[in-house]
Amino acid sequence: MSRVFDSLRLSAVSLDIAAVNRGGARAVADRQRRRLERVVAAALRDSRLYRRLVANHAPGGLASDAALAALPVTHRAQLMAEFDDWVTDPRLRRSALAAFMAEPANIAVPYDGRYIVWESSGTSGQPGLFVQDAECMAVYDALESLRRSAPRPISRWMDPWYLAERMAFVGAIGGHFASIVSLQRLCALNPWMGGATRSFSVLEPTARLVDALNTWNPTVLATYPTAAALLADEAAAGRLRVRPREVWTGGETLSPGMRRHVEQQLGCNVRNSYGASEFLAMGWECAHGQLHLNADWVILEPVDEQYQPVPPGAASASVLLTHLANTVQPLIRYDLGDQIMLSDQPCRCGSPLPVIQVRGRDDEPLVLRGRHGEPVTLLPMALTTVLEEEAGVFDFQLAQRDDHSLTLRLPLSGEAADAAFARCRSALAAFAASQGLRGLPIHEERAVTLARGHSGKVCRVLGGAVSGMATAAGAGPGARVQAEAPCTHAD
């Protein structure tokens, strides 16, 4: 079965990445310009939605050398509402893709034999659906394999595809999410990698997850920062006995305190990355700990609340993403919602790619009291996955009330709220039981206007300072780290 793989395109992109590193900032700018022209031309030629948006934004038309700022800002809700007019392949239909993705057996299976598809979380109340062709996936593959930082450069030079490693991914694995879709696709393409890679659900009870990881004994662990911090707690308590050489984190904000905690307790290098469902491999962390933007393939514009440019060194209210590799589902000046800060100083590593700081998803782990008084940590990614996948609710806020109960806030009222709360209670009760909690009282708040950032996104899981529980949780990254990273935009 085809896995949407173009070896020639992968080779060409890989050679181009090497050339960029030698060519400096000018080489990056030249590639940005050429690729932007290609993407805009494809959108105006083949996307009915983009033709309308541009015509409404610039009734007189665009000049052939029009700057990116001359194009309209786009939003997820707007694009998803007109999905069939947005995509450039008329054979792609949102209803058919949704039906395809409703089947777990289709995870990483190419749609129509030519597209890789995945879904995103609904942090703005609107889940996303994203489509990539072979050319786009070749760009992702090359960026992931060639620009991921190598704390052991000699080993990576000898083994760039990590074939000698035992890899473990801990995350949301039951849906068509970008991470698990990408991982399963790569394992299908490379049987050696498939034999050395295991996926573990973030929904597993901590004790069961720890036992499984001890059995697998990975040398490379990929997961979310909050999950890595929880596993570091388990290592500190002597329950997790693995000693990975590398931990890769992404999907949430990694604070300095969380990084130190993971490195100290697991005795390894932590390497952070920046990506999103919209663009899988936006940034990589170099050996100097700086996050570099893959600016030859993606443009990020830091902007304020009025979508005006923010200068280097200043934090943005949001960021506009322009995808330079995807012509099937054009993303041009797309409001991603993250806060970033662009540096005007080059990195000591010598890379021509710009350095950025990112503030993305900052949902918080919840520490509750278990059946026998022991602390039980509920990870934010697990909670949001349960409510999205099991209850079908995307626009919510779940807050810790005390050491045994939560408050669930929904913007719904009437019968719609009744049905949604019933689904949420059922899903959360089942999850709580699997985690060792004796019930999980849920206090309802209806018709709530959820506090949102400029991007329209909301912090969906809020922890609480519960007396005695942080110490019981073994150094408590959920309490210590969150003080360094208050909740702002969610990715």
Side-chain angles (χ1 to χ4, degrees):
M1 179 183 292
S2 167
R3 291 294 168 180
V4 187
F5 180 70
D6 185 337
S7 59
L8 293 178
R9 181 61 173 165
L10 176 61
S11 298
V13 173
S14 299
L15 291 172
D16 186 79
I17 286 174
V20 167
N21 291 337
R22 295 192 301 269
R26 177 173 295 181
V28 174
D30 288 345
R31 283 160 173 80
Q32 270 194 1
R33 176 182 51 79
R34 293 200 307 270
R35 289 164 184 164
L36 176 61
E37 290 174 354
R38 174 175 175 263
V39 166
V40 171
L44 295 179
R45 183 184 64 243
D46 299 324
S47 169
R48 294 188 295 272
L49 174 59
Y50 266 102
R51 285 201 298 270
R52 290 200 304 270
L53 292 175
V54 171
N56 292 337
H57 184 74
L62 292 173
S64 59
D65 61 346
L68 184 61
L71 296 168
V73 173
T74 58
H75 306 268
R76 178 186 290 186
Q78 167 193 33
L79 297 177
M80 288 300 300
E82 300 188 66
F83 184 92
D84 294 354
D85 283 350
W86 171 23
V87 293
T88 60
D89 185 345
R91 292 170 295 186
L92 292 170
R93 291 289 180 265
R94 182 178 177 180
S95 59
L97 283 165
F100 177 82
M101 295 172 69
E103 294 294 335
N106 288 334
I107 294 176
V109 174
Y111 179 79
D112 196 30
R114 68 182 70 199
Y115 295 117
I116 294 295
V117 296
W118 55 61
E119 59 187 334
S120 72
S121 64
T123 50
S124 61
Q126 171 68 68
L129 192 161
F130 299 97
V131 182
Q132 291 80 201
D133 63 5
E135 287 194 9
C136 185
M137 294 306 300
V139 172
Y140 290 162
D141 291 344
L143 292 175
E144 284 289 292
S145 62
L146 298 177
R147 284 189 176 157
R148 183 176 289 279
S149 174
R152 294 174 288 140
I154 295 178
S155 299
R156 292 287 68 78
W157 182 78
M158 297 292 292
D159 183 20
W161 291 96
Y162 289 80
L163 301 182
E165 306 288 359
R166 293 169 62 85
M167 301 184 67
F169 170 66
V170 178
I173 65 175
H176 292 252
F177 303 116
S179 296
I180 190 62
V181 168
S182 301
L183 182 63
Q184 288 195 15
R185 168 183 169 270
L186 289 175
C187 289
L189 285 170
N190 193 324
W192 293 275
M193 180 179 177
T197 302
R198 294 289 184 275
S199 298
F200 303 88
S201 174
V202 75
L203 302 181
E204 287 282 355
T206 300
R208 191 182 303 167
L209 174 61
V210 167
D211 287 345
L213 288 173
N214 284 336
T215 299
W216 179 239
N217 192 25
T219 60
V220 176
L221 172 64
T223 190
Y224 316 114
T226 52
L230 174 63
L231 293 174
D233 279 352
E234 293 296 303
R239 293 183 288 269
L240 182 68
R241 297 181 296 277
V242 304
R243 303 295 287 181
R245 292 189 284 261
E246 300 174 31
V247 170
W248 300 347
T249 60
E252 298 171 333
T253 297
L254 175 68
S255 76
M258 194 178 291
R259 180 194 292 272
R260 290 192 299 270
H261 181 58
V262 174
E263 289 183 336
Q264 290 169 3
Q265 300 303 329
L266 294 181
C268 62
N269 293 289
V270 173
R271 289 293 178 263
N272 198 34
S273 63
Y274 178 41
S277 300
E278 290 83 352
F279 194 106
L280 189 62
M282 283 193 285
W284 57 281
E285 195 175 73
C286 72
H288 294 275
Q290 300 291 336
L291 191 65
H292 289 264
L293 177 68
N294 290 319
D296 46 345
W297 286 105
V298 62
I299 298 174
L300 292 185
E301 300 175 72
V303 293
D304 63 18
E305 289 82 356
Q306 286 74 46
Y307 295 115
Q308 296 303 305
V310 170
S316 69
S318 187
V319 63
L320 306 181
L321 176 149
T322 297
H323 199 311
L324 300 178
N326 193 340
T327 57
V328 175
Q329 190 180 27
L331 287 162
I332 302 171
R333 307 201 79 203
Y334 170 92
D335 188 351
L336 188 62
D338 290 340
Q339 292 177 313
I340 75 166
M341 184 167 65
L342 181 66
S343 174
D344 58 358
Q345 299 297 317
C347 182
R348 289 180 296 158
C349 73
S351 171
L353 299 172
V355 172
I356 59 173
Q357 295 180 26
V358 180
R359 189 64 162 279
R361 189 195 305 267
D362 277 330
D363 291 336
E364 302 169 350
L366 310 183
V367 182
L368 303 177
R369 202 175 296 278
R371 293 190 180 98
H372 307 291
E374 75 283 7
V376 175
T377 299
L378 303 183
L379 296 175
M381 193 65 72
L383 290 164
T384 56
T385 299
V386 166
L387 289 176
E388 289 184 357
E389 295 297 299
E390 302 298 327
V393 173
F394 297 90
D395 203 13
F396 63 86
Q397 188 173 76
L398 194 63
Q400 185 162 358
R401 186 181 179 95
D402 50 38
D403 65 4
H404 70 281
S405 66
L406 308 178
T407 296
L408 178 61
R409 304 182 180 110
L410 298 180
L412 304 174
S413 59
E415 294 182 358
D418 292 340
F421 275 112
R423 297 195 306 271
C424 291
R425 285 179 179 279
S426 176
L428 288 171
F431 177 62
S434 75
Q435 302 298 309
L437 295 173
R438 187 190 300 116
L440 185 60
I442 303 294
H443 299 266
E444 300 179 4
E445 291 187 9
R446 301 178 173 226
V448 175
T449 301
L450 301 177
R452 299 180 182 276
H454 171 65
S455 65
K457 298 183 179 182
V458 63
C459 185
R460 299 196 293 176
V461 183
L462 294 173
V466 180
S467 176
M469 295 302 290
T471 300
R480 182 188 63 252
V481 172
Q482 294 306 325
E484 303 178 17
C487 189
T488 54
H489 292 307
D491 188 357

